[in-house]
């Protein structure tokens, strides 16, 4: 029997049979009330709870309604409290659908009870533990992911996926770089195993960079590129459109953005004034990219949208960039002032995507400041724009005096089609 321990009352048996049949045909509207009534009456019937979860799920899909979807997820979780009554097959059917809906909804913490049940029923299946780890990371709960990983590695000390995630946690949460390296090494060295993923190669190489071990970083980056994880050893963004023209430094006159560059250069004095007048509300860079020093920024546009009311503080700057839709509409970039203090070193790093090019307008104190992009190091000049692709490795030094201010304007890569510019997910 598919449903052990179900009501023997012939009326309810027949009622559940008939509701199930209708739901299977997709005619949820016809049986909605009956399914809800059965679930309310037969509180201990796994089958009745399953049917009402299916009903809500179908309704949510038909109406594209997130509130209904949340109710469907709650109903699946309620049903799964009776998981001992479900056969292996039924349990997998229910959990697969529940997990699919939870991920679609983005409510990753709800996956925890589901994976816990799967781990209890199938204790030898390592993938459930690793998927639970991933759900916690998606929910920004590295602390919870770490707990799962420790348990997983007690049981499977050589599992490469768990080791790679653990390396990631050691690096990003605890700055325990040597231990992170050991974990990444075990996860990724030798043949391409289960942890053969771009993000792990990225963090493995970056751990070497953080330790100043550049030659070993380069070996990892070469291997990552050879495996197809990076566009090249130097261009290591993870969100890419593959066919785009790729080079570290661009001549603005070979792009459609020459007009924007000239307009920025023409008004650099006003732009500088606006950038300086807003000093009080700059925010410190917090991605851990500084090796030493101070670096702060003021966003005007992020992901193709103005930060509310920001342009009131920088009207000239905003009116110039607004004339270029590929700048203010660049959903994979920002427009911002960037202030770097003397003595600062921004360590080698890459941006997240190859879909943008980055313009810098030099504004103040550019003497003895340097930016290396891939193999070529250049200097800013006050009132002048240059352009580079920040998906290539780059690095910044301020060896001079006074705050170096620049305006950064990201623009869509010129090779992207209008439809790509409309539909690529924002970053
Ligand atoms: C970077 O993108 O890392 C740097 O160019 C930022 C800056 O202000 O120079
Ligand atoms: Mn950068």
């Amino acid at each position: 029997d598919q449903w052990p321990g179900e009501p023997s009352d012939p009326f309810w048996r027949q009622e559940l049979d008939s509701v199930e049949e209708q739901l299977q045909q997709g005619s949820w509207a016809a049986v909605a009330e009956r399914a809800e009534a059965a679930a309310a009456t037969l509180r201990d019937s796994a089958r009745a709870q399953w049917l009402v979860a299916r009903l809500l799920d179908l309704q949510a899909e038909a109406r594209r309604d997130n509130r209904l979807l949340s109710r469907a997820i709650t109903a699946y979780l309620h049903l799964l409290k009776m998981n001992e009554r479900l056969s292996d097959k039924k349990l997998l059917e229910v959990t697969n659908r529940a997990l699919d809906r939870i991920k679609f909804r983005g409510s990753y913490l709800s996956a925890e009870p589901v994976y816990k049940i799967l781990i209890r029923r199938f204790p030898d299946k390592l993938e459930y533990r690793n998927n639970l780890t991933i759900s916690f990371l998606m929910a920004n709960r590295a602390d919870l992911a770490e707990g799962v990983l420790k348990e997983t590695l007690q049981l499977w000390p050589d599992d490469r996926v768990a080791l790679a995630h653990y390396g990631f946690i050691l690096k990003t949460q605890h700055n325990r770089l040597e231990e992170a390296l050991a974990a990444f090494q075990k996860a990724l060295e030798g043949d391409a195993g289960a942890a053969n993923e771009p993000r792990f190669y990225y963090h493995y190489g970056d751990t070497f960079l953080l330790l100043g071990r550049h030659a070993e970083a380069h070996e990892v980056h070469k291997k990552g590129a050879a495996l197809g994880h990076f566009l090249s050893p130097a261009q290591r963004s993870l969100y890419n459109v593959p066919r785009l023209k790729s080079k570290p430094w661009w001549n603005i006159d070979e792009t459609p953005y020459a007009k924007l560059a000239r307009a920025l250069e023409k008004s650099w004095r006003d732009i500088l004034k606006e950038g300086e007048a807003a000093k009080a509300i700059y925010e410190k860079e917090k991605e851990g990219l500084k090796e030493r020093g101070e670096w702060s920024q003021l966003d005007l546009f992020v992901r193709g949208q103005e930060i509310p009311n920001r342009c009131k503080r920088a009207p000239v700057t905003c009116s110039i960039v607004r004339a270029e839709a590929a700048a203010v509409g660049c959903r994979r970039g920002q427009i911002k002032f960037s202030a770097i203090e003397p003595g600062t070193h921004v360590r080698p790093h890459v941006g997240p995507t190859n879909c943008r090019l980055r313009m810098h307008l030099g504004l103040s104190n550019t003497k003895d400041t340097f930016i290396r992009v891939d193999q070529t190091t250049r200097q800013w000049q006050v009132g002048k724009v240059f352009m580079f692709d920040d998906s290539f490795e780059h690095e910044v030094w301020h060896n001079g005096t006074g705050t170096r201010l620049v305006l950064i304007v990201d623009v869509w890569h010129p090779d992207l089609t209008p439809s790509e510019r409309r539909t690529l997910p924002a970053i």
Side-chain angles (χ1 to χ4, degrees):
D1 188 356
Q2 265 219 69
W3 298 101
E6 286 301 297
S8 48
D9 181 326
F11 168 78
W12 282 117
R13 280 197 98 105
Q14 214 176 30
E15 180 68 358
L16 294 179
D17 283 345
S18 135
V19 168
E20 177 167 356
E21 201 182 300
Q22 302 261 14
L23 283 180
Q24 235 138 31
Q25 289 162 12
S27 30
W28 52 266
V31 288
E33 280 171 28
R34 287 164 63 200
E36 306 237 23
T41 310
L42 307 173
R43 298 204 142 275
D44 298 330
S45 157
R47 190 180 179 202
Q49 301 311 318
W50 176 69
L51 290 174
V52 83
R54 290 285 305 133
L55 167 74
L56 290 163
D57 191 340
L58 288 164
Q59 281 179 327
E61 214 158 45
R63 297 187 183 151
R64 297 165 185 264
D65 181 333
N66 275 337
R67 252 194 49 241
L68 279 170
L69 178 54
S70 294
R71 283 183 60 204
I73 290 169
T74 305
Y76 282 123
L77 294 177
H78 177 71
L79 162 63
L80 285 168
K81 287 189 189 132
M82 304 177 222
N83 63 82
E84 324 79 44
R85 300 214 211 134
L86 303 179
S87 65
D88 284 0
K89 184 160 170 264
K90 202 76 207 172
L91 178 69
L92 287 172
E93 183 191 326
V94 173
T95 52
N96 281 339
R97 182 63 188 170
L99 288 168
D100 179 82
R101 294 295 80 194
I102 285 167
K103 286 171 199 166
F104 181 80
R105 183 77 182 90
S107 55
Y108 292 99
L109 283 181
S110 306
E112 179 181 16
V114 183
Y115 283 123
K116 289 263 158 84
I117 288 163
L118 286 166
I119 291 166
R120 206 176 325 128
R121 178 80 64 102
F122 308 103
D124 299 333
K125 286 238 173 197
L126 175 53
E127 74 217 51
Y128 295 134
R129 294 173 193 268
N130 283 332
N131 289 342
L132 176 56
T133 297
I134 292 169
S135 284
F136 280 144
L137 289 174
M138 295 295 292
N140 269 320
R141 290 300 304 268
D143 56 327
L144 298 176
E146 185 173 351
V148 180
L149 280 169
K150 283 185 169 150
E151 213 180 278
T152 308
L153 286 168
Q154 292 262 316
L155 296 163
W156 288 275
D158 297 322
D159 180 61
R160 296 174 123 192
V161 175
L163 281 165
H165 280 116
Y166 195 49
F168 170 79
I169 300 262
L170 288 167
K171 172 191 184 240
T172 57
Q173 305 298 307
H174 305 297
N175 198 35
R176 283 155 59 183
L177 302 177
E178 302 285 350
E179 290 160 90
L181 272 189
F184 282 131
Q185 214 143 11
K186 228 170 132 182
L188 299 175
E189 287 301 302
D191 61 316
N196 183 26
E197 286 181 43
R199 60 199 169 108
F200 294 137
Y201 276 86
Y202 175 92
H203 284 286
Y204 186 22
D206 197 46
T207 308
F208 276 126
L209 286 181
L210 278 163
L211 286 163
R213 292 161 64 173
H214 292 104
E216 289 150 295
H218 188 60
E219 288 309 309
V220 172
H221 295 150
K222 272 203 315 217
K223 189 172 167 196
L227 288 166
H229 298 325
F230 307 133
L231 292 165
S232 73
Q235 194 180 17
R236 300 191 298 278
S237 47
L238 296 181
Y239 298 89
N240 300 315
V241 170
R243 57 157 219 288
L244 306 183
K245 178 169 179 168
S246 236
K247 58 174 184 167
W249 286 99
W250 285 67
N251 177 348
I252 292 168
D253 292 323
E254 61 182 342
T255 73
Y257 305 120
K259 206 172 145 202
L260 171 59
R262 299 293 94 83
L264 291 166
E265 289 177 341
K266 205 169 144 219
S267 295
W268 74 267
R269 284 192 177 80
D270 290 330
I271 296 171
L272 168 63
K273 269 186 213 143
E274 292 181 346
E276 281 186 331
K279 267 296 159 58
I281 60 166
Y282 279 50
E283 286 178 18
K284 289 213 151 64
E285 186 273 339
K286 43 191 180 295
E287 287 171 74
L289 296 179
K290 290 184 326 281
E291 191 227 338
R292 53 169 199 274
E294 288 298 338
W295 175 13
S296 57
Q297 310 194 353
L298 180 69
D299 291 327
L300 302 178
F301 290 81
V302 171
R303 297 168 161 232
Q305 296 224 290
E306 185 197 337
I307 303 289
N309 297 318
R310 229 6 103 67
C311 282
K312 284 186 192 143
R313 291 180 170 269
V316 175
T317 311
C318 285
S319 77
I320 294 170
V321 292
R322 276 194 208 281
E324 177 51 73
V328 286
C330 180
R331 286 177 300 95
R332 293 193 156 194
Q334 304 106 44
I335 297 172
K336 61 193 178 187
F337 289 101
S338 175
I340 289 184
E341 300 306 324
T344 301
H345 175 215
V346 178
R347 65 185 189 80
H349 67 283
V350 299
T353 176
N354 76 336
C355 293
R356 70 189 186 208
L357 297 177
R358 178 157 273 195
M359 300 167 77
H360 277 201
L361 170 66
L363 292 172
S364 72
N365 299 308
T366 56
K367 193 166 177 287
D368 295 322
T369 62
F370 305 91
I371 176 165
R372 174 182 69 81
V373 183
D374 194 15
Q375 313 274 2
T376 306
T377 300
R378 293 183 58 174
Q379 294 191 266
W380 293 270
Q381 281 177 45
V382 167
K384 290 279 173 265
V385 170
F386 61 48
M387 183 183 239
F388 63 99
D389 181 337
D390 81 322
S391 62
F392 283 85
E393 185 178 293
H394 55 287
E395 181 173 11
V396 171
W397 298 264
H398 189 337
N399 300 336
T401 52
T403 304
R404 186 236 53 180
L405 191 65
V406 300
L407 177 73
I408 298 178
V409 181
D410 290 335
V411 287
W412 283 120
H413 191 294
D415 293 348
L416 288 169
T417 65
S419 119
E420 285 167 330
R421 294 174 199 210
R422 274 195 309 275
T423 56
L424 281 166
I427 293 179

